Amino acid sequence: MLRRHRLAAGLSQEELAEKAGLSSDAVAALERGRRRAPRPLTVRLLATALNLSESEFGEFTESLRRSPTVYAPQVQGPPLPPDTLIGRASELAELSSLLSHGGVRLVTLTGLGGVGKTRLAIAVANEVRRQFEAGACWVPLGARPDGPEVTDAVAAAVGLRPASDAAEVDALAEHISSRQLLIVLDNCEHVVETCAWLCTVLLQRCPRLTILATSRELLRAPGEVVRQVQPLTVPPSRAAPEEIREADAVRMFLARAAAHGVHPRDDRLLQVSRVCRSVQGIPLAIELAAARVNVLTIEQIADELDTSSRILSGGSRTAPLRQQTIDAALDWSYQLLSAEERGFFEAVSTFSGGWTMSAAVAVFCAEQTDACHERVLDLTGRLIDKSLIRVDRDAAEARYSMFSVIRQYADRRLDDGGRRTLIEQRHLHYYVELAERAERSLGTDQQAATLDHLDVELDNLRVALGRAISRELGAESMRLGAALWRYFYLRGHYSEGRDWLESALRIARAAPEPVAPSALAAASRGAGYLAFLQCEYDVAAERLDEALALYRRLDDAAGAALTLRHLGSIAREQGDYDRSYQLHLEGMQLRQQLGDKAGIAWAWHYLAFVSWLRMDFDRARDYAEAALAYFQQAGDGEGITWSQINLGVVALYEGDLGTAERLLHQSLGRAQRLGFREGVGWSLNLLGVVARRQGRLERAIHLLDESLAEQQELGDKWRAASVLEALASVAQEHDNSAYAAFLLGAAAAVRDTIGAPVPLCERPDNELTMAVVRDKLGERAFAHAWGAGQATPLHAVADGYPPDTLSTLDTPW
């Protein structure tokens, strides 16, 4: 009985002896029958240390007066659940069916520490125990220091009183015999080999035995069926309050917070959701976070968890030490690793957002040999089996990751080993080379796949950039920033890409060692183009002039041609069409000298762009068709999108609205598939103009509103002004003249800010709208609405609401 109560409490003999103030030998002597008549004080000390109830204490003391021959051993059943199980309904149903009717005799619940394996096993055992004639037997192994005691623990739990100091497996198998019994082995990972061996022997010799095991590591025993216990479901970042409340992770946090007397209001649910996402739905982490509501607000808890898991401590005093903090739970797993496994575990913590096998080889190995690849493959498999690494097999190439709390723990261990600088340096070099390879694939038929690949690796690329810049590594900062600026452009991350490049340029200028002029030129060109996209023309021109001078000094005609293209784009938006045209012609001549067909096609595209802006539609069509033919042959999705936009615009202004709509729908679909946000914004804008000319005003409003939101997010003020003017034309046709005047004023303010006129081809529509609105409103009302538009920031206009002072005149649409 003493052994049974001790095992139920999850204590070793040494731990019980310490709590009771006795010697461990005294506890061992009582359990093994060497001492059968302890003093009453000893019995009371043991009962107190075991936290026995009054009825259990009576049974405990009464057992001393029984003859050993009269004692009837019992199966140690599963503990009663301490609280209501939250979530897990589908897992409980599946496991109950599997164990009762599935013909499966060994099931292992695996997963990281704190994910809820034991709690789920308790629920399963209590659910199915009546379907086993001999019941369900619970064997806690958390305190088992070595293999032989596992057999002892199982023997004690099934009611076998060993005749010697160690229960023999033969006696154990004979005792179970043909009884229909479920044995639950809880926490097997530190004695996994012994558990695997014992399960194999017992299942072979006991035909009606079924075993359910919980372990952070697979048993790898014959017939084992594995079920990975996943964290609780967390709500998405933009969920409605009712959706947040239904998420299992949130339900657990609210229940645990309520136990501390805190009942968050509905307006705090978003912060609860943040906490649950930060800990990725891990039940132990949720419980530990909820325990902090007695000293911190939920928002403070969420803020702390954004950067560290250190506050996840202070669990139940009665829980095993490994479950009282997240670090203790992970220490338990870490101590079971070999030295090489620990080194690999620490090394892969340098990744952010996951990694591939080749990336792991690059950061772990000094030399990337076949032998090293095999080592990394083996180590990865071992840590997956130990629930420390996750694997995603959905794509063609497997991808690996860690839960954030595990990654933070491993990262701290990397400091302990003194290998951080070396590992992070390897990580940086790997991603510099990856970005440069990817940059060479943009503009080819591999562009879509390349962009998707960079999307997946974006967290790692950001980490690499951050490390290079924080350590003021000029060459690496330049190479990485220059390789990525076009990705940031295509994905619409203008501000982010520009910030990285400006930081890299600052470091390069201050570096004691000169940076390669080619890298400096590429970074200056990228920073200049991204500044142009945000309509900061002076800064853009300064950076591009620096790049052009460097390219000419290097005699790099290709780099010079690209820079001339960007300078031509600045002139185009500033309304200097002649200068823009000449710059693009000069760039094309350089491309022709190089025999660069792709560069020539892009020059045609930009010449088409300038041509239709200044209403030279025949020339625009010729250039756009020539460019489209090349881009289709080369499979350049970005180029095809732009050519379709150019041809759609020509059809629009020539009055062929059906052709314009068809081409612009094609460009929109392609841009959306590519994730090319500038192409999406332009296509929506021009489709809105087509819809207005077709008289479909509601559709025009929808398309132009979408385009305005896209331009606002991108930071493209030049195009945003044109969209506002197009919306003003729709408002005027919708008989909403005050709002039309408001939009015209807002557009004029944007143009004044950036110093860009209304494009020539858009002026007739703009001037007609202005005249009609002035006539309908009169000068005083027009000036009032126009002034309100000029005073309203672009982001507020993009939200679709005029200021209150305008509401007395009219409302949008």
Side-chain angles (χ1 to χ4, degrees):
M1 186 172 287
L2 175 59
R3 183 193 299 265
R4 176 159 56 86
H5 282 302
R6 175 176 63 79
L7 293 175
L11 298 172
S12 67
Q13 290 180 342
E14 289 77 10
E15 288 171 333
L16 174 59
E18 184 177 352
K19 289 186 72 172
L22 303 171
S23 70
S24 57
D25 184 67
V27 175
L30 287 168
E31 284 194 356
R32 292 172 179 167
R34 295 198 306 268
R35 182 181 177 193
R36 297 178 180 273
R39 293 181 299 165
L41 175 60
T42 300
V43 175
R44 285 196 298 274
L45 290 172
L46 287 168
T48 302
L50 289 167
N51 198 25
L52 298 182
S53 67
E54 185 174 343
S55 62
E56 288 172 333
F57 179 76
E59 182 185 10
F60 190 68
T61 53
E62 178 64 23
S63 70
L64 292 173
R65 290 186 285 274
R66 296 182 194 159
S67 165
T69 56
V70 177
Y71 177 74
Q74 304 176 35
V75 168
Q76 178 174 286
L80 293 174
D83 46 41
T84 302
L85 183 66
I86 294 176
R88 309 297 191 199
S90 60
E91 295 98 321
L92 181 59
E94 185 205 5
L95 290 165
S96 299
S97 175
L98 201 62
L99 293 169
S100 303
H101 315 294
V104 175
R105 301 184 62 209
L106 174 59
V107 176
T108 300
L109 301 183
T110 188
L112 75 155
V115 80
K117 301 181 294 296
T118 296
R119 184 66 183 82
L120 179 57
I122 290 172
V124 172
N126 281 301
E127 181 77 12
V128 302
R129 62 191 302 177
R130 290 181 180 83
Q131 299 182 39
F132 290 83
E133 291 174 4
C137 174
W138 186 267
V139 186
L141 298 175
R144 300 294 98 207
D146 52 41
E149 284 206 11
V150 172
T151 309
D152 274 359
V154 175
V158 298
L160 174 64
R161 294 176 61 81
S164 61
D165 284 357
E168 295 291 339
V169 70
D170 290 341
L172 181 56
E174 184 178 347
H175 179 78
I176 297 171
S177 186
S178 60
R179 287 194 292 169
Q180 186 188 21
L181 176 68
L182 172 67
I183 292 180
V184 183
L185 302 177
D186 186 40
N187 288 307
C188 299
E189 57 272 357
H190 57 303
V191 282
V192 67
E193 292 183 2
T194 301
C195 287
W197 168 80
L198 185 60
C199 288
T200 301
V201 172
L202 292 179
L203 290 171
Q204 286 174 346
R205 298 177 59 177
C206 307
R208 302 177 71 198
L209 174 65
T210 301
I211 298 175
L212 173 64
T214 74
S215 177
R216 301 185 191 186
E217 181 175 359
L218 305 188
L219 300 187
R220 295 200 176 280
E224 180 183 29
V225 172
V226 177
R227 288 295 180 267
Q228 185 93 24
V229 180
Q230 299 293 342
L232 297 175
T233 56
V234 298
S237 56
R238 296 185 179 181
E242 57 274 13
E243 190 178 358
I244 293 175
R245 279 196 178 276
E246 288 173 3
D248 291 336
V250 171
R251 290 171 55 212
M252 172 171 276
F253 184 94
L254 294 175
R256 300 300 181 262
H260 290 274
V262 175
H263 303 273
R265 302 188 309 269
D266 282 353
D267 61 356
R268 312 311 300 153
L269 285 179
L270 282 176
Q271 300 304 326
V272 174
S273 179
R274 272 184 65 203
V275 171
C276 294
R277 284 197 306 276
S278 290
V279 299
Q280 295 177 287
I282 299 170
L284 176 60
I286 293 171
E287 292 200 15
L288 295 173
R292 293 300 185 185
V293 296
N294 63 334
V295 290
L296 297 173
T297 67
I298 297 172
E299 188 167 6
Q300 285 176 308
I301 295 170
D303 289 342
E304 288 279 346
L305 290 171
D306 281 343
T307 56
S308 172
S309 60
R310 295 283 191 174
I311 68 166
L312 300 180
S313 59
S316 168
R317 287 192 180 93
T318 62
L321 290 176
R322 67 180 183 279
Q323 292 179 7
Q324 292 185 14
T325 70
I326 280 292
D327 274 9
L330 293 170
D331 281 339
W332 175 264
S333 292
Y334 184 80
Q335 296 303 326
L336 298 175
L337 301 179
S338 68
E340 188 176 40
E341 287 169 343
R342 291 179 185 180
F344 183 70
F345 175 61
E346 294 160 5
V348 294
S349 71
T350 197
F351 294 105
S352 179
W355 67 91
T356 60
M357 186 63 66
S358 60
V361 172
V363 302
F364 185 65
C365 301
E367 296 182 6
Q368 297 180 38
T369 62
D370 289 344
C372 181
H373 186 278
E374 290 177 8
R375 279 174 59 215
V376 168
L377 183 64
D378 178 56
L379 288 165
T380 302
R382 285 193 240 162
L383 293 191
I384 289 171
D385 285 352
K386 296 174 190 291
S387 304
L388 293 172
I389 287 178
R390 297 190 294 170
V391 57
D392 181 355
R393 305 177 187 85
D394 288 343
E397 182 178 24
R399 191 164 183 83
Y400 310 95
S401 62
M402 291 176 171
F403 285 106
S404 59
V405 292
I406 296 179
R407 179 175 173 263
Q408 290 174 25
Y409 175 89
D411 182 70
R412 292 194 292 273
R413 286 289 187 174
L414 186 59
D415 278 325
D416 297 342
R419 298 167 62 232
R420 178 177 297 280
T421 300
L422 173 63
I423 295 298
E424 290 184 349
Q425 192 173 45
R426 289 175 181 171
H427 178 278
L428 174 59
H429 289 162
Y430 177 81
Y431 282 99
V432 168
E433 293 176 0
L434 181 147
E436 289 177 337
R437 286 195 306 273
E439 198 270 341
R440 292 191 289 270
S441 296
L442 298 178
T444 71
D445 58 359
Q446 296 299 309
Q447 177 166 301
T450 299
L451 289 172
D452 290 344
H453 184 204
L454 291 174
D455 287 341
V456 171
E457 293 290 4
L458 184 55
D459 286 343
N460 278 310
L461 292 164
R462 285 170 169 156
V463 164
L465 272 164
R467 286 170 181 162
I469 287 169
S470 65
R471 295 175 186 174
E472 299 193 344
L473 303 175
E476 288 84 351
S477 301
M478 281 291 165
R479 289 174 62 192
L480 198 47
L484 288 174
W485 79 263
R486 194 172 173 195
Y487 165 77
F488 286 124
Y489 151 61
L490 290 167
R491 286 300 194 238
H493 305 313
Y494 301 163
S495 293
E496 180 183 0
R498 187 177 164 198
D499 288 345
W500 287 123
L501 282 165
E502 289 291 353
S503 296
L505 287 166
R506 174 182 51 78
I507 291 167
R509 294 187 185 107
E513 297 293 328
V515 174
S518 58
L520 191 60
S524 297
R525 181 170 60 83
Y529 190 68
L530 292 171
F532 152 71
L533 289 168
Q534 295 182 298
C535 304
E536 296 187 28
Y537 302 126
D538 291 342
V539 175
E542 181 183 346
R543 293 285 176 270
L544 292 169
D545 285 339
E546 291 171 2
L548 185 60
L550 285 167
Y551 283 129
R552 284 175 169 162
R553 194 184 313 155
L554 292 166
D555 197 23
D556 184 343
L562 278 170
T563 310
L564 288 167
R565 177 201 296 177
H566 303 331
L567 287 166
S569 295
I570 294 175
R572 180 189 70 235
E573 291 196 3
Q574 291 181 319
D576 192 346
Y577 301 123
D578 289 340
R579 172 172 164 73
S580 178
Y581 197 83
Q582 289 304 314
L583 286 167
H584 288 308
L585 279 179
E586 186 180 346
M588 186 170 72
Q589 289 164 2
L590 290 174
R591 294 294 189 184
Q592 287 170 335
Q593 292 169 14
L594 294 168
D596 180 359
K597 293 181 180 179
I600 294 168
W602 277 105
W604 286 335
H605 154 65
Y606 283 101
L607 288 166
F609 199 165
V610 176
S611 296
W612 66 255
L613 280 170
R614 62 180 184 182
M615 304 179 72
D616 187 351
F617 299 121
D618 289 338
R619 187 173 290 181
R621 182 188 300 103
D622 292 342
Y623 282 133
E625 287 176 346
L628 179 59
Y630 172 80
F631 291 138
Q632 287 176 330
Q633 180 184 356
D636 186 335
E638 180 193 354
I640 294 170
T641 301
W642 274 125
S643 296
Q644 289 171 332
I645 289 172
N646 285 337
L647 291 168
V649 173
V650 170
L652 163 65
Y653 284 109
E654 289 186 337
D656 186 355
L657 299 183
T659 299
E661 186 174 26
R662 175 177 57 80
L663 287 165
L664 293 168
H665 267 303
Q666 290 174 359
S667 68
L668 176 61
R670 188 178 300 276
Q672 288 172 330
R673 289 192 298 274
L674 289 172
F676 176 28
R677 293 184 64 188
E678 188 180 23
V680 170
W682 268 94
S683 300
L684 289 167
N685 171 190
L686 294 165
L687 281 167
V689 176
V690 170
R692 181 185 68 79
R693 293 196 175 198
Q694 291 171 331
R696 297 189 289 170
L697 299 185
E698 298 301 328
R699 175 170 170 74
I701 293 167
H702 172 72
L703 291 164
L704 291 168
D705 276 346
E706 279 196 58
S707 179
L708 183 60
E710 195 74 37
Q711 307 301 344
Q712 164 66 14
E713 285 190 28
L714 291 173
D716 186 347
K717 299 181 182 67
W718 182 67
R719 192 52 3 208
S722 287
V723 177
L724 289 173
E725 288 153 356
L727 280 166
S729 296
V730 178
Q732 182 271 316
E733 293 187 26
H734 215 280
D735 201 25
N736 201 336
S737 299
Y739 192 50
F742 169 81
L743 292 169
L744 289 170
V750 173
R751 293 199 181 282
D752 288 343
T753 300
I754 64 176
V758 177
L760 189 62
C761 64
E762 296 174 6
R763 287 178 195 172
D765 278 352
N766 192 50
E767 290 169 357
L768 177 61
T769 300
M770 185 89 69
V772 172
V773 170
R774 276 182 185 276
D775 183 61
K776 286 190 174 182
L777 289 178
E779 281 301 324
R780 182 176 180 182
F782 176 83
H784 175 58
W786 172 280
Q790 285 204 308
T792 304
L794 178 58
H795 68 84
V797 182
D799 286 339
Y801 300 99
D804 292 340
T805 54
L806 186 60
S807 62
T808 57
L809 299 174
D810 234 329
T811 55
W813 320 125

